[in-house]
Amino acid sequence: MFPEEPIYAQLARIGKALASPVRLRLLDVLDQRERTVEELARAAGIPLKNTSAQLQQLRAAQLVTSRREGTHVYYRLADEGVSRFLGEFQAFADGRLADLREAVRARLGSLEGVTAEELAARLEDPGTVVVDVRSAADYAAGHVPGAISVPVDELLSRLGELPTDAEIVAYCGGPYCVVSPEAVRQLREHGYDARPLDGGLLGWRRTGKRLAR
């Protein structure tokens, strides 16, 4: 053992907690809003038993915390510092790993997006309509100011509510969410000018932009 090993062993606890695609997915979902284990499992697409086990490891590394309300236990990120760290970690990995960039392109496509800074400057522009394609519950927990809620499974039936002479900016949860790119493709197929928001809601919030509720 080298003299500093106990120090590095503590640092390695964070690395161990992040060394799992499942745990990284759970952190991104929890970064959007707090959820029960059951809600988190459904939102993340992960079996309930596995979700519970992975949460315990994230708690051990003090990345998530919980509160009890009646018979339900709600989980959330430990604090805003975890969210900032996740954003920096993902940006660092994107700059280093060509395989990550390729995996993102393979999953999300190569649609040109709108940056958070660009959208913030256009929120008062009547020629820009912001559409939140997440669930109504996610929208109620916090959304881009001025955004309208059109869950993706309702999009085609509600096209008549969207103006055809404006640019539609659609967003979902986080940087790797496949829902808003799919919504943009559907909108374009029906003649709308549409682009996704880079980074989704998390990209908006991690750049210091406020949420409306």
Side-chain angles (χ1 to χ4, degrees):
M1 176 186 292
F2 52 91
E4 300 87 356
E5 185 170 352
I7 297 172
Y8 288 105
Q10 292 303 313
L11 289 173
R13 291 174 60 192
I14 300 297
K16 181 179 179 181
L18 298 178
S20 160
V22 171
R23 290 194 288 275
L24 289 171
R25 169 66 172 151
L26 293 176
L27 288 170
D28 261 0
V29 175
L30 283 177
D31 201 357
Q32 298 170 47
R33 67 178 175 92
E34 68 174 8
R35 303 173 194 262
T36 65
V37 179
E38 293 79 9
E39 291 172 336
L40 182 56
R42 286 194 298 271
I46 297 167
L48 179 61
K49 186 175 181 180
N50 192 18
T51 298
S52 183
Q54 302 300 335
L55 281 171
Q56 300 316 307
Q57 295 197 50
L58 293 172
R59 286 190 65 178
Q62 299 183 35
L63 296 175
V64 304
T65 187
S66 64
R67 67 177 180 87
R68 181 176 292 276
E69 184 176 301
T71 59
H72 298 291
V73 177
Y74 289 85
Y75 287 85
R76 63 185 183 277
L77 295 192
D79 52 50
E80 192 60 30
V82 178
S83 178
R84 290 194 299 270
F85 172 75
L86 290 171
E88 292 165 1
F89 171 69
Q90 290 168 357
F92 178 81
D94 183 73
R96 293 279 171 166
L97 301 175
D99 287 347
L100 171 60
R101 296 191 294 273
E102 181 56 35
V104 171
R105 281 193 296 270
R107 257 329 250 160
L108 305 186
S110 55
L111 293 169
E112 180 186 358
V114 177
T115 68
E117 295 300 331
E118 180 185 352
L119 181 59
R122 295 172 55 186
L123 286 183
E124 303 301 323
D125 179 2
T128 300
V129 175
V130 185
V131 175
D132 186 320
V133 296
R134 303 173 301 151
S135 70
D138 286 341
Y139 176 86
H143 53 269
V144 173
I148 60 175
S149 175
V150 184
V152 70
D153 57 358
E154 301 175 11
L155 181 61
L156 294 182
S157 65
R158 295 176 58 185
L159 286 177
E161 300 175 24
L162 302 177
T164 56
D165 59 349
E167 180 177 56
I168 310 297
V169 178
Y171 70 87
C172 49
Y176 310 128
C177 176
V178 301
V179 177
S180 58
E182 178 57 30
V184 166
R185 284 188 280 270
Q186 291 183 24
L187 287 165
R188 290 184 176 185
E189 288 172 0
H190 286 79
Y192 288 85
D193 181 13
R195 287 196 287 165
L197 173 62
D198 286 343
L201 185 77
L202 293 185
W204 174 267
R205 206 190 73 224
R206 287 170 178 171
T207 55
K209 307 295 187 295
R210 71 179 183 87
L211 298 181
R213 289 181 170 81

